[in-house]
Structures are given as C-alpha cells and as structure tokens.
Amino acid sequence: MIVAQRKSIPELVDILKGRKKILLLGCGTCVTVCLAGGEREVSINASALRIASRLKNLDFEIEELTIERQCDNIFIEKAADAIKRNDVVLSLGCGAGVQAIAERYDKPVYAGLDTEFIGILEERATWTEKCIACGKCVLHEYGGICPITRCAKHMLNGPCSGSTEERCEVRADRPCAWQLIYRRLKSIGELDRLKSVKSPKDWSAGIGGGSRVIIREDHRV
Amino acid sequence: MSNENFEPRLIAFCCQYCSYSAADLAGSMRLQYPPNVRIVRTPCTGRLEVEFFMKAFERGADGILVAGCLEGGCHFTEGNLLAKGRVGYTRKFLSESGLEAERIRMINISAAGARPFVDYINEMLATLKTLGPSPLKRVGPSTNAENRI
C-alpha cells in the first residue's frame, strides 16, 4: 500500500491561510490503513484546524467528507457536490488522490499529507518501505528482498562491505538488505543466483524515463 | 473572566473497572471534591478516541482527565496503554493548534483509589485555574453542544 504521514497543523494553517470554505477530504483506502488520511484523521484534523482557526481568527469553515478512494473516478464523483460547495479542497489522500481531484475540478486542491512510499505494515504502528516501483522487477533474483529499495546504495551486486553487525552503514536503524538476501537465498536453496554478475539496471523503465502510463488494449472499447 | 473567579469545566473519562468505582467509593467515603468535574463512564479507556478529546475541547471544555486502570491491570489487557498513546497524540495536536497540552492528562488508579482520585481531580483543577479558561469557550449563553459537556 501507499504510506503517507500527516502534515503538522501549522503547515496546514499556512497552506489554508486566507481561505474560508474548506473541504477536508479523506480517502478510505491506503491512507486509512496507515492511519494518516481516513475518516478518523479527517475528524481529528478538522477539529484541530477549527481550534487553530478560532484562536488565530482565521475564519475557516470546514466540511468533512471521506470517500472510498480518491484515485478512482467512480468514488470521486461522490464528492462532487461537497467540492462545489467549498472554496478549496484539502485532500488527505496520497499524491495520486490529490492530483486526481485537482484534474477533475476547477478548484484549488491542496495536499494535506506527505506521501512517503510503497510499503507494508511491519508490526503495529510501524510501516516499512518495500518497493520504489522501478518498473522492472528483479525480486526473483534476490529471494524476494529488493536490493534497490532496501539497500541504501541500491546495489545489485552487493554487499558493499560497509555494514556493521548486520546493520546498514547509511541507516543504522535498518538491517543490511544484502545480509537478508544472503540468508534468504541460502534458506531456500538458491544461493547459486548470486554467482552471476547482474548488469546495470535500466532506469528508464522507472520514473527516470518520465511519467509512466499503462494502456491495456484488451480492456479498451 | 479573571482566573480567581474561574470555575473550570473538567471532563473525566473514567474506566468502569477502576476509576469509576474509585469515584463511587469516594462518594461512599464522603470525600469532598469540587463539583466542576463531569464524569463520563467508559467501558475501558481504550474505547476513547482522539476525536472525542478534540471535540470536547472544540466545544469549550477547559480540561480532560482520562482515568484508566493501573498499567498492567487493564481488564482488556492493554486498553489503558492505548489510551496513554492517544492522550499523548492529542497533546501534540493541541499544542500545534495553539491550546496548552496540559489541558489533557492521563492518570492510572485502582478501584480502591478513592483518595488518589480526589487528589488527581484537585490537582487537575489547580492546573486549569493556573492556565485560565479555554479560549474556545464562547461568551454568552451556552449552545446545546456546550451544555452537554
């Protein structure tokens, strides 16, 4: 899922300063699961913004709404009336959600969250990054552990030899991805995969090649 | 309103397995404490959400006391620990919004803790008197929403 984090109230106040009728729009999918932009966070942020507005005489009028998914037309349509009633939209969706709303309505749409990464819930209240969406997956080569995302140096032919006690030398709070890859390949009997030297990665399949589009002709009419 | 004449409106969310019984016991023991506190019985402090606290402040509450079981003694294992985290999170939102974080506090007491319960109420009221009335309290007649707290 996409993992995001909230912006602080002073940041949001700064973004919204001078605006009156504000729609605080939550998203019921990824950002709900990562506790950043669901119905509950919409309510908390709306209360905090109303408090800040009254203390600083900002005159915010905040309407709250959460739709199932901000990146899907069918669900976005359900917010149409609320968007029209307000001057601006403060979206608590991910970057895709914010842009999807902005492209469809002639109203200012602001991002209320910082979108961080594609990741998983590792343990309670802890999310970790697992994928940078490079466009050419090589996970089969590395026992299901991505060296591009999880090795700070993106090494395809690791390790870098800089790790200490199985910890990354760039981020000591994270495990060395190559230690994990070695262990995993050994346990599943695929250590042989490390014998071949991997050629440099073609980054043009990823964001390096410009904004991507996927068209499935078989699904078009 | 000067702080001397100010009578704070304190909301105490009390877990029914501990502090609510402690409040009851305080009554049976004829322990006196100021009438400024509105006690809300909750099945467990783990039931309390950050929105509840934010809404109470938005509607003019001067302070909130969240009273749960002693750590390790929650009837539902970890409800009071969840509440502790949520109170901390609320404090962050309050100070970011411009309200004093000290207006909300988590306390832990057992069902036998009538005296500590009264002491905590008095302590919290003293804190609120020092802080003064919530700037969110509206001047003039209370609204229906404010009357409810």
Side-chain angles (χ1 to χ4, degrees), chain A residues 39-75:
Chain A
E39 198 171 0
R40 181 160 288 163
E41 289 72 30
V42 165
S43 169
I44 297 168
N45 279 283
S47 286
L49 284 170
R50 279 189 210 107
I51 292 173
S53 162
R54 278 178 62 189
L55 296 180
K56 294 174 182 136
N57 296 319
L58 295 169
D59 212 18
F60 290 162
E61 278 175 30
I62 298 169
E63 182 179 344
E64 301 168 34
L65 178 70
T66 301
I67 55 174
E68 195 65 35
R69 212 172 294 156
Q70 283 192 22
C71 57
D72 197 321
N73 237 346
I74 295 168
F75 299 108

mmCIF file of all heavy atoms in Angstrom, chain A residues 39-75:
data_model
loop_
_atom_site.group_PDB
_atom_site.id
_atom_site.type_symbol
_atom_site.label_atom_id
_atom_site.label_comp_id
_atom_site.label_asym_id
_atom_site.label_seq_id
_atom_site.Cartn_x
_atom_site.Cartn_y
_atom_site.Cartn_z
ATOM 1 N N GLU A 39 -11.234 8.486 7.726
ATOM 2 C CA GLU A 39 -12.338 9.236 8.335
ATOM 3 C C GLU A 39 -11.939 9.790 9.712
ATOM 4 O O GLU A 39 -12.248 10.930 10.059
ATOM 5 C CB GLU A 39 -13.529 8.295 8.479
ATOM 6 C CG GLU A 39 -14.824 9.020 8.691
ATOM 7 C CD GLU A 39 -16.019 8.075 8.602
ATOM 8 O OE1 GLU A 39 -15.824 6.866 8.378
ATOM 9 O OE2 GLU A 39 -17.137 8.576 8.776
ATOM 10 N N ARG A 40 -11.244 8.970 10.459
ATOM 11 C CA ARG A 40 -10.835 9.388 11.810
ATOM 12 C C ARG A 40 -9.852 10.560 11.758
ATOM 13 O O ARG A 40 -9.984 11.533 12.494
ATOM 14 C CB ARG A 40 -10.186 8.179 12.503
ATOM 15 C CG ARG A 40 -9.746 8.447 13.902
ATOM 16 C CD ARG A 40 -9.596 7.147 14.659
ATOM 17 N NE ARG A 40 -10.889 6.572 14.951
ATOM 18 C CZ ARG A 40 -11.082 5.302 15.302
ATOM 19 N NH1 ARG A 40 -10.080 4.481 15.367
ATOM 20 N NH2 ARG A 40 -12.292 4.861 15.573
ATOM 21 N N GLU A 41 -8.888 10.472 10.858
ATOM 22 C CA GLU A 41 -7.888 11.541 10.751
ATOM 23 C C GLU A 41 -8.522 12.821 10.215
ATOM 24 O O GLU A 41 -8.103 13.919 10.577
ATOM 25 C CB GLU A 41 -6.723 11.102 9.853
ATOM 26 C CG GLU A 41 -5.824 10.053 10.466
ATOM 27 C CD GLU A 41 -6.456 8.683 10.547
ATOM 28 O OE1 GLU A 41 -7.303 8.365 9.677
ATOM 29 O OE2 GLU A 41 -6.151 7.935 11.483
ATOM 30 N N VAL A 42 -9.538 12.654 9.351
ATOM 31 C CA VAL A 42 -10.251 13.831 8.856
ATOM 32 C C VAL A 42 -10.891 14.551 10.042
ATOM 33 O O VAL A 42 -10.780 15.766 10.191
ATOM 34 C CB VAL A 42 -11.327 13.425 7.811
ATOM 35 C CG1 VAL A 42 -12.311 14.560 7.561
ATOM 36 C CG2 VAL A 42 -10.658 13.034 6.504
ATOM 37 N N SER A 43 -11.538 13.776 10.908
ATOM 38 C CA SER A 43 -12.210 14.363 12.073
ATOM 39 C C SER A 43 -11.207 15.053 13.013
ATOM 40 O O SER A 43 -11.437 16.187 13.459
ATOM 41 C CB SER A 43 -12.959 13.259 12.820
ATOM 42 O OG SER A 43 -13.395 13.727 14.055
ATOM 43 N N ILE A 44 -10.083 14.389 13.269
ATOM 44 C CA ILE A 44 -9.083 14.961 14.187
ATOM 45 C C ILE A 44 -8.488 16.247 13.600
ATOM 46 O O ILE A 44 -8.399 17.272 14.264
ATOM 47 C CB ILE A 44 -7.949 13.939 14.468
ATOM 48 C CG1 ILE A 44 -8.504 12.700 15.170
ATOM 49 C CG2 ILE A 44 -6.844 14.557 15.315
ATOM 50 C CD1 ILE A 44 -7.544 11.523 15.222
ATOM 51 N N ASN A 45 -8.106 16.175 12.323
ATOM 52 C CA ASN A 45 -7.508 17.356 11.683
ATOM 53 C C ASN A 45 -8.506 18.501 11.586
ATOM 54 O O ASN A 45 -8.137 19.661 11.748
ATOM 55 C CB ASN A 45 -6.972 16.999 10.294
ATOM 56 C CG ASN A 45 -5.607 16.350 10.370
ATOM 57 O OD1 ASN A 45 -4.607 17.020 10.578
ATOM 58 N ND2 ASN A 45 -5.563 15.038 10.241
ATOM 59 N N ALA A 46 -9.781 18.150 11.318
ATOM 60 C CA ALA A 46 -10.802 19.199 11.203
ATOM 61 C C ALA A 46 -10.963 19.904 12.553
ATOM 62 O O ALA A 46 -11.005 21.134 12.613
ATOM 63 C CB ALA A 46 -12.124 18.595 10.752
ATOM 64 N N SER A 47 -11.021 19.120 13.636
ATOM 65 C CA SER A 47 -11.144 19.729 14.969
ATOM 66 C C SER A 47 -9.938 20.622 15.251
ATOM 67 O O SER A 47 -10.087 21.749 15.716
ATOM 68 C CB SER A 47 -11.214 18.651 16.055
ATOM 69 O OG SER A 47 -12.457 18.034 16.040
ATOM 70 N N ALA A 48 -8.744 20.109 14.959
ATOM 71 C CA ALA A 48 -7.525 20.876 15.240
ATOM 72 C C ALA A 48 -7.499 22.166 14.415
ATOM 73 O O ALA A 48 -7.122 23.225 14.913
ATOM 74 C CB ALA A 48 -6.294 20.026 14.941
ATOM 75 N N LEU A 49 -7.931 22.078 13.165
ATOM 76 C CA LEU A 49 -7.935 23.283 12.316
ATOM 77 C C LEU A 49 -8.987 24.282 12.792
ATOM 78 O O LEU A 49 -8.764 25.490 12.744
ATOM 79 C CB LEU A 49 -8.183 22.904 10.851
ATOM 80 C CG LEU A 49 -6.984 22.281 10.125
ATOM 81 C CD1 LEU A 49 -7.397 21.727 8.778
ATOM 82 C CD2 LEU A 49 -5.870 23.312 9.937
ATOM 83 N N ARG A 50 -10.145 23.767 13.254
ATOM 84 C CA ARG A 50 -11.181 24.675 13.779
ATOM 85 C C ARG A 50 -10.673 25.385 15.024
ATOM 86 O O ARG A 50 -10.882 26.581 15.210
ATOM 87 C CB ARG A 50 -12.455 23.897 14.108
ATOM 88 C CG ARG A 50 -13.304 23.640 12.892
ATOM 89 C CD ARG A 50 -14.659 23.073 13.287
ATOM 90 N NE ARG A 50 -15.133 22.229 12.230
ATOM 91 C CZ ARG A 50 -15.175 20.914 12.261
ATOM 92 N NH1 ARG A 50 -14.819 20.265 13.341
ATOM 93 N NH2 ARG A 50 -15.595 20.231 11.220
ATOM 94 N N ILE A 51 -9.976 24.633 15.887
ATOM 95 C CA ILE A 51 -9.416 25.245 17.107
ATOM 96 C C ILE A 51 -8.401 26.319 16.711
ATOM 97 O O ILE A 51 -8.459 27.452 17.178
ATOM 98 C CB ILE A 51 -8.774 24.155 18.014
ATOM 99 C CG1 ILE A 51 -9.859 23.245 18.593
ATOM 100 C CG2 ILE A 51 -7.954 24.797 19.131
ATOM 101 C CD1 ILE A 51 -9.360 22.035 19.364
ATOM 102 N N ALA A 52 -7.489 25.958 15.803
ATOM 103 C CA ALA A 52 -6.461 26.923 15.362
ATOM 104 C C ALA A 52 -7.115 28.144 14.724
ATOM 105 O O ALA A 52 -6.697 29.282 14.952
ATOM 106 C CB ALA A 52 -5.510 26.253 14.374
ATOM 107 N N SER A 53 -8.165 27.896 13.954
ATOM 108 C CA SER A 53 -8.853 28.990 13.268
ATOM 109 C C SER A 53 -9.468 29.959 14.272
ATOM 110 O O SER A 53 -9.369 31.175 14.118
ATOM 111 C CB SER A 53 -9.932 28.400 12.356
ATOM 112 O OG SER A 53 -10.864 29.367 11.988
ATOM 113 N N ARG A 54 -10.086 29.405 15.323
ATOM 114 C CA ARG A 54 -10.717 30.294 16.315
ATOM 115 C C ARG A 54 -9.677 31.044 17.146
ATOM 116 O O ARG A 54 -9.871 32.194 17.499
ATOM 117 C CB ARG A 54 -11.654 29.490 17.214
ATOM 118 C CG ARG A 54 -13.009 29.297 16.527
ATOM 119 C CD ARG A 54 -13.954 28.486 17.329
ATOM 120 N NE ARG A 54 -14.292 29.075 18.609
ATOM 121 C CZ ARG A 54 -14.977 28.430 19.551
ATOM 122 N NH1 ARG A 54 -15.406 27.219 19.329
ATOM 123 N NH2 ARG A 54 -15.245 29.015 20.701
ATOM 124 N N LEU A 55 -8.571 30.388 17.432
ATOM 125 C CA LEU A 55 -7.549 31.057 18.234
ATOM 126 C C LEU A 55 -6.806 32.125 17.433
ATOM 127 O O LEU A 55 -6.285 33.078 17.993
ATOM 128 C CB LEU A 55 -6.554 30.026 18.796
ATOM 129 C CG LEU A 55 -7.143 29.003 19.778
ATOM 130 C CD1 LEU A 55 -6.067 28.049 20.267
ATOM 131 C CD2 LEU A 55 -7.798 29.704 20.958
ATOM 132 N N LYS A 56 -6.741 31.923 16.119
ATOM 133 C CA LYS A 56 -5.976 32.875 15.293
ATOM 134 C C LYS A 56 -6.887 33.730 14.409
ATOM 135 O O LYS A 56 -6.389 34.398 13.496
ATOM 136 C CB LYS A 56 -4.983 32.105 14.415
ATOM 137 C CG LYS A 56 -3.914 31.418 15.249
ATOM 138 C CD LYS A 56 -3.016 30.536 14.421
ATOM 139 C CE LYS A 56 -2.019 29.845 15.324
ATOM 140 N NZ LYS A 56 -1.818 28.445 15.050
ATOM 141 N N ASN A 57 -8.195 33.669 14.663
ATOM 142 C CA ASN A 57 -9.174 34.434 13.876
ATOM 143 C C ASN A 57 -9.017 34.222 12.374
ATOM 144 O O ASN A 57 -8.912 35.165 11.601
ATOM 145 C CB ASN A 57 -9.070 35.935 14.187
ATOM 146 C CG ASN A 57 -9.435 36.211 15.616
ATOM 147 O OD1 ASN A 57 -10.385 35.625 16.142
ATOM 148 N ND2 ASN A 57 -8.674 37.069 16.271
ATOM 149 N N LEU A 58 -8.971 32.972 11.967
ATOM 150 C CA LEU A 58 -8.754 32.684 10.548
ATOM 151 C C LEU A 58 -10.060 32.472 9.781
ATOM 152 O O LEU A 58 -10.079 32.409 8.564
ATOM 153 C CB LEU A 58 -7.858 31.444 10.397
ATOM 154 C CG LEU A 58 -6.433 31.624 10.914
ATOM 155 C CD1 LEU A 58 -5.718 30.292 10.966
ATOM 156 C CD2 LEU A 58 -5.656 32.593 10.049
ATOM 157 N N ASP A 59 -11.133 32.272 10.513
ATOM 158 C CA ASP A 59 -12.445 32.188 9.873
ATOM 159 C C ASP A 59 -12.616 30.980 8.945
ATOM 160 O O ASP A 59 -13.284 31.067 7.909
ATOM 161 C CB ASP A 59 -12.668 33.504 9.071
ATOM 162 C CG ASP A 59 -14.141 33.872 9.045
ATOM 163 O OD1 ASP A 59 -14.887 33.344 9.886
ATOM 164 O OD2 ASP A 59 -14.538 34.668 8.178
ATOM 165 N N PHE A 60 -12.001 29.869 9.293
ATOM 166 C CA PHE A 60 -12.179 28.653 8.475
ATOM 167 C C PHE A 60 -13.574 28.077 8.711
ATOM 168 O O PHE A 60 -14.053 28.038 9.841
ATOM 169 C CB PHE A 60 -11.183 27.562 8.892
ATOM 170 C CG PHE A 60 -9.753 27.835 8.537
ATOM 171 C CD1 PHE A 60 -8.729 27.132 9.185
ATOM 172 C CD2 PHE A 60 -9.412 28.760 7.563
ATOM 173 C CE1 PHE A 60 -7.401 27.367 8.871
ATOM 174 C CE2 PHE A 60 -8.079 28.996 7.246
ATOM 175 C CZ PHE A 60 -7.077 28.297 7.908
ATOM 176 N N GLU A 61 -14.195 27.628 7.624
ATOM 177 C CA GLU A 61 -15.431 26.834 7.749
ATOM 178 C C GLU A 61 -15.099 25.487 7.139
ATOM 179 O O GLU A 61 -14.894 25.389 5.929
ATOM 180 C CB GLU A 61 -16.572 27.483 6.951
ATOM 181 C CG GLU A 61 -17.266 28.599 7.686
ATOM 182 C CD GLU A 61 -18.294 29.271 6.793
ATOM 183 O OE1 GLU A 61 -18.865 28.607 5.913
ATOM 184 O OE2 GLU A 61 -18.488 30.478 6.986
ATOM 185 N N ILE A 62 -15.046 24.474 7.970
ATOM 186 C CA ILE A 62 -14.537 23.190 7.476
ATOM 187 C C ILE A 62 -15.644 22.148 7.361
ATOM 188 O O ILE A 62 -16.389 21.909 8.308
ATOM 189 C CB ILE A 62 -13.404 22.683 8.390
ATOM 190 C CG1 ILE A 62 -12.252 23.688 8.349
ATOM 191 C CG2 ILE A 62 -12.923 21.303 7.953
ATOM 192 C CD1 ILE A 62 -11.190 23.461 9.374
ATOM 193 N N GLU A 63 -15.728 21.556 6.171
ATOM 194 C CA GLU A 63 -16.664 20.447 5.973
ATOM 195 C C GLU A 63 -15.841 19.166 5.885
ATOM 196 O O GLU A 63 -14.758 19.155 5.306
ATOM 197 C CB GLU A 63 -17.459 20.666 4.667
ATOM 198 C CG GLU A 63 -18.477 19.562 4.431
ATOM 199 C CD GLU A 63 -19.304 19.758 3.155
ATOM 200 O OE1 GLU A 63 -19.325 20.874 2.602
ATOM 201 O OE2 GLU A 63 -19.916 18.760 2.723
ATOM 202 N N GLU A 64 -16.348 18.095 6.470
ATOM 203 C CA GLU A 64 -15.605 16.827 6.474
ATOM 204 C C GLU A 64 -16.283 15.805 5.568
ATOM 205 O O GLU A 64 -17.503 15.684 5.584
ATOM 206 C CB GLU A 64 -15.550 16.252 7.898
ATOM 207 C CG GLU A 64 -14.903 17.172 8.900
ATOM 208 C CD GLU A 64 -15.118 16.694 10.336
ATOM 209 O OE1 GLU A 64 -15.158 15.475 10.578
ATOM 210 O OE2 GLU A 64 -15.262 17.563 11.211
ATOM 211 N N LEU A 65 -15.466 15.093 4.821
ATOM 212 C CA LEU A 65 -16.004 14.015 3.980
ATOM 213 C C LEU A 65 -14.889 13.006 3.711
ATOM 214 O O LEU A 65 -13.738 13.394 3.513
ATOM 215 C CB LEU A 65 -16.528 14.584 2.645
ATOM 216 C CG LEU A 65 -17.070 13.559 1.638
ATOM 217 C CD1 LEU A 65 -18.382 12.954 2.129
ATOM 218 C CD2 LEU A 65 -17.306 14.199 0.270
ATOM 219 N N THR A 66 -15.245 11.739 3.728
ATOM 220 C CA THR A 66 -14.265 10.710 3.350
ATOM 221 C C THR A 66 -14.905 9.834 2.281
ATOM 222 O O THR A 66 -16.021 9.350 2.468
ATOM 223 C CB THR A 66 -13.866 9.849 4.561
ATOM 224 O OG1 THR A 66 -13.323 10.715 5.554
ATOM 225 C CG2 THR A 66 -12.809 8.814 4.198
ATOM 226 N N ILE A 67 -14.210 9.676 1.161
ATOM 227 C CA ILE A 67 -14.729 8.802 0.114
ATOM 228 C C ILE A 67 -13.898 7.516 0.091
ATOM 229 O O ILE A 67 -12.794 7.461 0.642
ATOM 230 C CB ILE A 67 -14.729 9.490 -1.278
ATOM 231 C CG1 ILE A 67 -13.335 10.021 -1.642
ATOM 232 C CG2 ILE A 67 -15.763 10.597 -1.319
ATOM 233 C CD1 ILE A 67 -13.247 10.582 -3.055
ATOM 234 N N GLU A 68 -14.442 6.516 -0.566
ATOM 235 C CA GLU A 68 -13.807 5.194 -0.570
ATOM 236 C C GLU A 68 -12.384 5.242 -1.150
ATOM 237 O O GLU A 68 -11.461 4.640 -0.631
ATOM 238 C CB GLU A 68 -14.679 4.252 -1.401
ATOM 239 C CG GLU A 68 -14.373 2.782 -1.238
ATOM 240 C CD GLU A 68 -14.654 2.284 0.164
ATOM 241 O OE1 GLU A 68 -15.610 2.763 0.791
ATOM 242 O OE2 GLU A 68 -13.889 1.420 0.641
ATOM 243 N N ARG A 69 -12.235 5.979 -2.256
ATOM 244 C CA ARG A 69 -10.936 6.013 -2.928
ATOM 245 C C ARG A 69 -10.814 7.325 -3.709
ATOM 246 O O ARG A 69 -11.686 7.638 -4.506
ATOM 247 C CB ARG A 69 -10.838 4.835 -3.898
ATOM 248 C CG ARG A 69 -9.467 4.285 -4.064
ATOM 249 C CD ARG A 69 -9.493 3.012 -4.874
ATOM 250 N NE ARG A 69 -10.184 1.921 -4.210
ATOM 251 C CZ ARG A 69 -10.741 0.887 -4.840
ATOM 252 N NH1 ARG A 69 -10.707 0.804 -6.137
ATOM 253 N NH2 ARG A 69 -11.347 -0.071 -4.170
ATOM 254 N N GLN A 70 -9.751 8.051 -3.489
ATOM 255 C CA GLN A 70 -9.603 9.340 -4.177
ATOM 256 C C GLN A 70 -8.973 9.196 -5.562
ATOM 257 O O GLN A 70 -8.895 10.157 -6.311
ATOM 258 C CB GLN A 70 -8.767 10.312 -3.336
ATOM 259 C CG GLN A 70 -9.531 10.916 -2.185
ATOM 260 C CD GLN A 70 -8.799 12.080 -1.545
ATOM 261 O OE1 GLN A 70 -7.933 12.712 -2.144
ATOM 262 N NE2 GLN A 70 -9.150 12.368 -0.310
ATOM 263 N N CYS A 71 -8.492 7.987 -5.880
ATOM 264 C CA CYS A 71 -7.806 7.820 -7.163
ATOM 265 C C CYS A 71 -8.706 7.125 -8.175
ATOM 266 O O CYS A 71 -8.217 6.569 -9.152
ATOM 267 C CB CYS A 71 -6.508 7.051 -6.960
ATOM 268 S SG CYS A 71 -6.747 5.453 -6.183
ATOM 269 N N ASP A 72 -10.007 7.126 -7.941
ATOM 270 C CA ASP A 72 -10.918 6.392 -8.814
ATOM 271 C C ASP A 72 -12.150 7.247 -9.101
ATOM 272 O O ASP A 72 -12.847 7.669 -8.173
ATOM 273 C CB ASP A 72 -11.317 5.083 -8.118
ATOM 274 C CG ASP A 72 -11.916 4.090 -9.079
ATOM 275 O OD1 ASP A 72 -12.675 4.516 -9.964
ATOM 276 O OD2 ASP A 72 -11.637 2.887 -8.941
ATOM 277 N N ASN A 73 -12.399 7.455 -10.379
ATOM 278 C CA ASN A 73 -13.495 8.328 -10.812
ATOM 279 C C ASN A 73 -14.837 8.040 -10.166
ATOM 280 O O ASN A 73 -15.551 8.945 -9.745
ATOM 281 C CB ASN A 73 -13.663 8.182 -12.328
ATOM 282 C CG ASN A 73 -13.520 9.525 -13.003
ATOM 283 O OD1 ASN A 73 -13.557 10.562 -12.333
ATOM 284 N ND2 ASN A 73 -13.361 9.521 -14.302
ATOM 285 N N ILE A 74 -15.177 6.760 -10.095
ATOM 286 C CA ILE A 74 -16.482 6.356 -9.560
ATOM 287 C C ILE A 74 -16.674 6.911 -8.151
ATOM 288 O O ILE A 74 -17.749 7.371 -7.787
ATOM 289 C CB ILE A 74 -16.603 4.814 -9.543
ATOM 290 C CG1 ILE A 74 -16.589 4.295 -10.974
ATOM 291 C CG2 ILE A 74 -17.853 4.360 -8.818
ATOM 292 C CD1 ILE A 74 -16.414 2.814 -11.101
ATOM 293 N N PHE A 75 -15.612 6.872 -7.364
ATOM 294 C CA PHE A 75 -15.721 7.338 -5.981
ATOM 295 C C PHE A 75 -15.575 8.858 -5.889
ATOM 296 O O PHE A 75 -16.211 9.486 -5.058
ATOM 297 C CB PHE A 75 -14.681 6.642 -5.106
ATOM 298 C CG PHE A 75 -14.853 5.152 -5.078
ATOM 299 C CD1 PHE A 75 -13.962 4.321 -5.735
ATOM 300 C CD2 PHE A 75 -15.926 4.580 -4.417
ATOM 301 C CE1 PHE A 75 -14.128 2.956 -5.732
ATOM 302 C CE2 PHE A 75 -16.106 3.211 -4.411
ATOM 303 C CZ PHE A 75 -15.204 2.392 -5.062
#
